[in-house]
Amino acid sequence: MVFNLFPRSKWLRDKLQAEQQRLPAAPPRIFLTGVTGFVGGAIAAELAGGDSFKDMLFLVRAPSPAEGVRRVRASIARFTPADMPLHIAESQVILADLRDAQAFSDARLEQVSHVIHCAAVTSFGERSDIWEINVDATMRLAERCSRLPGLQRFVYVGMAMACGVARGPVVTESLRLPVERAHLVPYTASKAQAENQLRELFPELPLVTVRPSIIVGHSSLGCRPSASIFWILKVVAQLNRFVCPPSAYLDIVPVDYCARTIVALTLKATLRFSTYHISAGRSGSVMVEQLLQAFHGMNVAARGQPYERVSEAALRQMALAFGVRHAVQGSATLSGRNEPINTRMLHKALMLYGRFSKLNYVFDERRTLGEGLAPAPCFLEYIGRCERSAAGMSLKAQMAYDFK
Ligand SMILES: NC(=O)c1ccc[n+]([C@@H]2O[C@H](COP(=O)([O-])OP(=O)(O)OC[C@H]3O[C@@H](n4cnc5c(N)ncnc54)[C@H](OP(=O)(O)O)[C@@H]3O)[C@@H](O)[C@H]2O)c1
């Protein structure tokens, strides 16, 4: 079955498709939100150098077009070779904050054929604006895009963890996501709500939702673009104690794989489904004990001692003790001391990631593979690159990627 991107009459759909096939394919005009973020930057880098890049539009928060261009370029440059020219014109940036009711009124959007909506509040905390940005602004964008004459696809970057708790162990792509009482943090609930509402309120939108699993590092650049989440995995390996069983699976993908797959699903002429996981799945997910072995093989402390499963109540004391040890054991600094870390934040992160790890989810990857796309590399294939690239970064700096 081919997914029905134009759910009007079959006659009209066939006619439109036949007409499109007769015309020479026009280069896509892509509108991307969230380009200054981890995933959005990688998506833009994936498209940089291609024919459609010069026609791309980026929604950016900045005080001036020049600063907008600078932010876009700096974000993409994290993923591209230093000698690769990045030509971005001021006419490609739309300066707006998603909270602004007029954020999508710019006339340049009229020409857009493909939308990738990647921007979101990704904080695990209780931010008061999370619903406004992740849900309300997404609906305003969808409303605007539903009136675009040449829109071919609207890609919403959701998240696999928006499936809520009590699923699995292998999670398949259900269309309706649970919202109330099914989430560990408001962030995943807001992502679920946005997806549900997009389907309910805009049934005619050529919507495809992509749901990445846990994104850690880059398969060749390691943590250079971002150390998000990597640091917590390393802390767990150093503690060698955590709340999940060692047999728990973590479904991790690198950001470049995620970006490549999102771009492919955006530009592929026909798709069989309207929702796709972007995941390591059954073959590429990694067990906690394999992860610990890999870290310990790279001389991360706690080597040789058996892993101990602990209760959530033990995490606070573990975070405090880790903070003290971390401060006195530093060797990378001139003073022989590490920059002190916020142990309250560390405790919070251990609690939350502990709960996610106990879900033991693997996200079914068969739909994505069924589109002829490559499987994700296993995290163990590039964990060494992540470790080496993060070695010169203080733990405090790494934590800042997740506590903005
Ligand atoms: N990272 C993961 O592990 C992961 C996993 C699954 C799904 N996802 C999804 O992937 C998408 C991107 O995540 P990420 O990790 O790249 O997040 P990120 O690094 O935190 O980037 C968030 C992006 O959203 C933009 N943004 C936030 N609030 C905005 C506002 N009010 N107006 C305009 N732009 C705003 C940010 O712009 P500024 O730079 O101006 O703040 C930034 O470009 C999200 O939808 C997320 O749910 C991520």
Side-chain angles (χ1 to χ4, degrees):
M1 186 194 76
V2 172
F3 167 58
N4 181 2
L5 287 175
F6 297 96
R8 307 166 200 169
S9 77
K10 185 176 179 324
W11 174 82
L12 182 57
R13 197 169 65 242
D14 292 347
K15 188 167 175 292
L16 283 171
Q17 277 180 351
E19 276 170 13
Q20 270 171 10
Q21 276 160 11
R22 274 199 299 276
L23 294 170
R29 285 175 169 265
I30 304 167
F31 174 49
L32 173 66
T33 70
V35 62
T36 51
F38 187 30
V39 179
I43 291 173
E46 180 65 25
L47 288 158
D51 290 344
S52 59
F53 187 71
K54 64 179 188 330
D55 293 321
M56 276 185 82
L57 292 174
F58 304 100
L59 182 124
V60 199
R61 289 196 280 194
S64 67
E67 176 60 11
V69 167
R70 193 203 62 73
R71 289 199 72 205
V72 174
R73 188 179 289 123
S75 178
I76 301 174
R78 291 179 296 167
F79 304 93
T80 52
D83 56 356
M84 178 170 160
L86 279 174
H87 299 296
I88 299 151
E90 290 187 2
S91 58
Q92 287 179 266
V93 299
I94 294 178
L95 300 182
D97 189 301
L98 289 173
R99 282 169 295 199
D100 178 359
Q102 300 306 314
F104 312 116
S105 60
D106 194 292
R108 286 170 287 176
L109 288 176
E110 211 56 27
Q111 308 301 321
V112 162
S113 63
H114 296 74
V115 173
I116 307 176
H117 181 37
C118 193
V121 173
T122 55
S123 163
F124 279 9
E126 301 269 349
R127 268 183 57 167
S128 59
D129 56 359
I130 205 163
W131 223 254
E132 184 189 356
I133 294 171
N134 291 1
V135 184
D136 300 346
T138 300
M139 296 313 120
R140 280 198 296 273
L141 174 61
E143 196 282 324
R144 171 73 167 104
C145 292
S146 64
R147 290 183 279 114
L148 295 181
L151 187 71
Q152 292 174 37
R153 194 159 292 164
F154 183 103
V155 174
Y156 173 72
V157 182
M159 66 186 314
M161 284 291 181
C163 67
V165 296
R167 294 281 314 273
V170 178
V171 181
T172 51
E173 292 102 328
S174 59
L175 273 191
R176 174 129 201 115
L177 295 163
V179 176
E180 280 167 22
R181 291 193 302 279
H183 290 269
L184 297 176
V185 286
Y187 164 44
T188 59
S190 72
K191 299 292 288 185
Q193 176 74 356
E195 261 209 64
N196 289 344
Q197 272 189 220
L198 279 174
R199 287 209 169 78
E200 282 160 22
L201 301 181
F202 304 96
E204 300 210 347
L205 197 69
L207 173 69
V208 172
T209 62
V210 292
R211 298 179 185 162
S213 54
I214 305 167
I215 304 172
V216 181
H218 183 286
S219 67
S220 55
L221 302 172
C223 290
R224 252 196 286 151
S226 167
S228 170
I229 305 179
F230 178 76
W231 63 271
I232 186 100
L233 300 175
K234 184 167 171 180
V235 168
V236 168
Q238 285 169 326
L239 291 166
N240 215 18
R241 301 162 79 205
F242 205 38
V243 292
C244 63
S247 58
Y249 275 99
L250 298 177
D251 190 322
I252 294 172
V253 291
V255 72
D256 48 320
Y257 171 78
C258 180
R260 200 175 315 121
T261 309
I262 291 175
V263 169
L265 291 172
T266 302
L267 298 179
K268 196 161 182 277
T270 55
L271 293 175
R272 297 177 64 214
F273 300 99
S274 63
T275 302
Y276 292 85
H277 281 151
I278 299 182
S279 58
R282 289 179 181 81
S283 56
S285 292
V286 61
M287 262 196 275
V288 167
E289 65 185 1
Q290 295 174 299
L291 197 76
L292 298 174
Q293 265 173 22
F295 272 115
H296 298 162
M298 294 184 296
N299 283 326
V300 170
R303 191 179 183 175
Q305 296 158 24
Y307 171 80
E308 188 189 341
R309 192 174 174 194
V310 297
S311 69
E312 248 185 40
L315 293 178
R316 190 168 173 276
Q317 196 50 44
M318 281 164 57
L320 287 172
F322 183 91
V324 172
R325 264 203 323 276
H326 175 75
V328 296
Q329 279 176 356
S331 55
T333 55
L334 283 177
S335 64
R337 289 174 68 87
N338 278 320
E339 261 187 300
I341 54 162
N342 184 331
T343 51
R344 197 177 57 83
M345 292 296 196
L346 176 60
H347 174 224
K348 202 172 152 192
L350 288 171
M351 289 282 286
L352 283 171
Y353 284 99
R355 288 179 188 175
F356 279 115
S357 68
K358 280 199 286 184
L359 293 175
N360 186 24
Y361 282 168
V362 163
F363 298 101
D364 193 1
E365 79 283 37
R366 284 175 301 179
R367 282 188 178 184
T368 309
L369 301 187
E371 294 292 347
L373 303 178
C378 176
F379 183 48
L380 299 178
E381 290 173 32
Y382 69 98
I383 189 172
R385 269 169 233 132
C386 290
E387 168 62 8
R388 284 192 292 281
S389 56
M393 247 184 265
S394 72
L395 178 57
K396 187 177 173 196
Q398 294 179 52
M399 288 174 75
Y401 283 105
D402 290 310
F403 295 106
K404 293 169 205 150

